[in-house]
């Protein structure tokens, strides 16, 4: 699974960054950063919608098996959706990045869970009992499909922003 999305054209962005620094255009730089962030926001929003609406199914309990309430009150999909972030940088390694901030996930969500959800198969111990396992299925490649749908639009938007900034600098 692609954990983060980077829209980069490092040659053009680095050259533009040098010209911005030489021109001292802080207003132009902040405007460029704001417009690139705005280009990436629909992707973040659609990724959040995709995980919130992701159907996770299981075969259910067999007859005669015991069950009970979930040991947590935290909704899994909403927690993952809240951890999807955008970062935009003009210096160092310039570009836009949409990523899953694992530090914002609750500690009981294992690091590889989101990758396994993207693969469409989630296997986990039943209520933490490592001797009993359950399998749940989800729509595979929800992250990858969403990113692929947005990539051409984001690339066009970022190219348009770079052209506008170049015109302002010349």
């Amino acid at each position: 699974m692609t954990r983060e999305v980077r829209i980069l054209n490092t040659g053009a962005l680095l050259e533009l960054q040098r010209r911005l620094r030489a021109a001292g255009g802080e207003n132009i730089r902040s405007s460029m950063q704001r417009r690139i962030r705005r280009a990436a926001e629909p992707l973040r929003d659609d990724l959040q919608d995709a995980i919130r609406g992701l159907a996770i199914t299981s075969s259910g309990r067999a007859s005669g098996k015991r069950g009970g309430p979930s040991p947590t009150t935290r909704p899994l999909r909403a927690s993952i959706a809240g951890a999807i972030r955008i970062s935009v940088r003009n210096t160092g390694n310039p570009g836009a990045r949409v990523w899953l901030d694992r530090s914002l996930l609750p500690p009981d969500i294992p690091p590889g869970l989101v990758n396994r959800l993207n693969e469409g198969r989630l296997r986990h111990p039943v209520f933490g009992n490592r001797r009993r396992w359950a399998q749940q299925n989800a729509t595979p490649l929800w992250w990858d499909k969403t990113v692929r749908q947005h990539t051409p639009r984001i690339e066009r938007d970022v190219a348009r922003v770079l052209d506008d900034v170049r015109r302002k600098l010349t």
Side-chain angles (χ1 to χ4, degrees):
M1 172 182 132
T2 308
R3 287 190 202 123
E4 57 188 44
V5 182
R6 294 178 187 215
I7 303 299
L8 304 172
N9 181 354
T10 47
L13 285 170
L14 288 172
E15 177 260 332
L16 192 58
Q17 171 192 348
R18 281 191 291 275
R19 291 170 79 186
L20 275 170
R21 203 175 298 127
E26 187 60 40
N27 188 25
I28 296 172
R29 187 179 304 158
S30 65
S31 171
M32 181 176 94
Q33 185 171 358
R34 183 176 57 253
R35 289 178 64 192
I36 290 174
R37 175 178 292 279
R38 205 172 300 139
E41 283 174 351
L43 171 60
R44 182 206 52 207
D45 296 343
D46 279 358
L47 283 169
Q48 289 174 335
D49 290 343
I51 187 63
R52 283 187 186 113
L54 186 67
I56 300 175
T57 60
S58 69
S59 58
R61 288 193 306 263
S63 63
K65 297 287 184 177
R66 285 184 267 160
S70 173
T72 63
T73 57
R74 166 201 39 79
L76 173 69
R77 289 171 274 218
S79 297
I80 294 171
I84 297 174
R85 295 281 182 246
I86 299 175
S87 64
V88 178
R89 292 177 51 171
N90 287 335
T91 59
N93 189 9
R97 190 172 84 145
V98 178
W99 55 293
L100 181 74
D101 187 355
R102 295 191 189 281
S103 69
L104 296 176
L105 292 175
D108 60 336
I109 294 181
L113 180 121
V114 179
N115 293 348
R116 290 191 302 270
L117 270 177
N118 189 53
E119 293 165 3
R121 180 175 173 243
L122 177 62
R123 206 167 164 267
H124 60 88
V126 177
F127 295 117
N129 181 354
R130 312 283 292 160
R131 289 182 281 155
R132 289 192 60 212
W133 289 75
Q135 177 176 319
Q136 292 181 294
N137 300 309
T139 307
L141 303 176
W142 60 272
W143 180 280
D144 297 342
K145 287 177 184 175
T146 306
V147 168
R148 259 185 261 128
Q149 290 171 352
H150 283 269
T151 300
R153 181 197 52 79
I154 292 174
E155 288 174 345
R156 282 192 310 272
D157 290 352
V158 169
R160 190 176 313 122
V161 169
L162 294 177
D163 289 343
D164 290 348
V165 171
R166 276 193 199 105
R167 262 188 254 116
K168 287 180 183 178
L169 290 175
T170 56

